[in-house]
Amino acid sequence: MQLIPMQLGPINPEVEHLAVGAVLFGTLYVFVRRMVLRVNRVLEERAALLEGVTGGPAADLRREAERIRAEYEATLAEARREAAQVRQRAREEGAALIAAAREDGVRERDEALVGGKSVIGAERAAADAELRSHVAELASELASRIVGEPVAAGTGSGR
């Protein structure tokens, strides 16, 4: 049976098809409507939760946490700055100690050099005096070897 008793082709539906389509459409409509209502309810709950995070007690807690974190970071920065100052002072003190030790070493070296030079000078003078007393003897012995005959040692002044 057709809805309109004329030949319209596919535009003229049959009543049974319309009835099945209406029942299916109604069922689908009810199902989709229930799903849309559930989705809307979930979205509204989500929006309420998000509003709770951005405002209300959760927002107060978040602001408090951010304030505490800022204080912590400021304290940490201050501690780092103090540690850097302590390291710098330690470097400066170490450099001063090294310079003082180097200066002491140079002073001791200079003292040892002066002492050593004076000892060497005294020993040299003693050796020179001892050799001068034996110069006449050594000269006559050398002359005797060269000439081949004994030569008497002179009592000259030396130079």
Side-chain angles (χ1 to χ4, degrees):
M1 179 171 165
Q2 293 188 350
L3 188 62
I4 303 174
M6 293 178 44
Q7 260 318 338
L8 297 174
I11 298 176
N12 194 5
E14 295 184 17
V15 175
E16 300 88 27
H17 289 186
L18 276 179
V20 170
V23 169
L24 289 176
F25 177 77
T27 306
L28 187 63
Y29 176 77
V30 169
F31 178 74
V32 170
R33 184 166 188 264
R34 289 181 73 189
M35 292 302 293
V36 168
L37 289 177
R38 284 186 188 173
V39 169
N40 281 339
R41 188 175 58 237
V42 169
L43 289 175
E44 288 172 2
E45 289 174 4
R46 180 175 171 238
L49 286 174
L50 288 176
E51 286 178 16
V53 170
T54 58
D60 293 340
L61 288 175
R62 173 173 276 169
R63 282 191 291 272
E64 180 68 18
E66 288 173 356
R67 183 188 61 79
I68 290 172
R69 182 176 181 188
E71 288 176 5
Y72 167 76
E73 288 176 354
T75 304
L76 189 61
E78 179 65 28
R80 286 180 180 153
R81 186 172 36 256
E82 288 177 11
Q85 290 173 351
V86 167
R87 281 193 306 267
Q88 182 62 31
R89 274 183 275 166
R91 280 190 201 113
E92 291 170 358
E93 289 175 6
L97 289 174
I98 289 172
R102 185 174 287 142
E103 186 178 303
D104 288 344
V106 168
R107 183 177 37 79
E108 289 177 11
R109 182 200 65 194
D110 291 343
E111 289 174 0
L113 284 175
V114 168
K117 284 181 182 178
S118 65
V119 168
I120 290 173
E123 288 178 359
R124 187 177 200 182
D128 190 55
E130 186 178 335
L131 284 177
R132 286 194 188 274
S133 67
H134 297 296
V135 165
E137 237 178 70
L138 292 173
S140 66
E141 186 180 325
L142 183 61
S144 298
R145 282 187 190 170
I146 293 175
V147 174
E149 293 180 16
V151 177
T155 56
S157 64
R159 280 193 179 176

